[in-house]
Amino acid sequence: YELKRYTESIDCYNRAIEIDPESSKANFNKGLCLFALNRLTEAIESYNKAIQINPNNSEANFYKGLALST
């Protein structure tokens, strides 16, 4: 993600989610990559999943709000 290789990062996060579907962090980070690619509907889905797993994930709530307002 930090190298701005978003598509590759999404593939990695998808693998992480396959291994641990209950990873709020992997779902959130996938959302960040999707957001960076302007794939907002998919980003919101990832943020929602992260929030469903961990309702206290304030970053996911924040970025979901950004995506909804974009």
Side-chain angles (χ1 to χ4, degrees), residues 31-61:
L32 288 178
C33 294
L34 292 162
F35 185 88
L37 293 171
N38 205 34
R39 293 166 54 182
L40 301 179
T41 301
E42 294 170 276
I44 292 166
E45 290 173 6
S46 289
Y47 298 143
N48 281 337
K49 183 74 168 188
I51 294 164
Q52 178 184 15
I53 295 164
N54 177 9
N56 296 320
N57 188 331
S58 58
E59 290 179 308
N61 280 294

Side-chain angles (χ1 to χ4, degrees), residues 9-20:
S9 295
I10 291 168
D11 291 339
C12 292
Y13 290 125
N14 282 334
R15 283 193 297 259
I17 293 165
E18 284 178 21
I19 293 167
D20 181 9

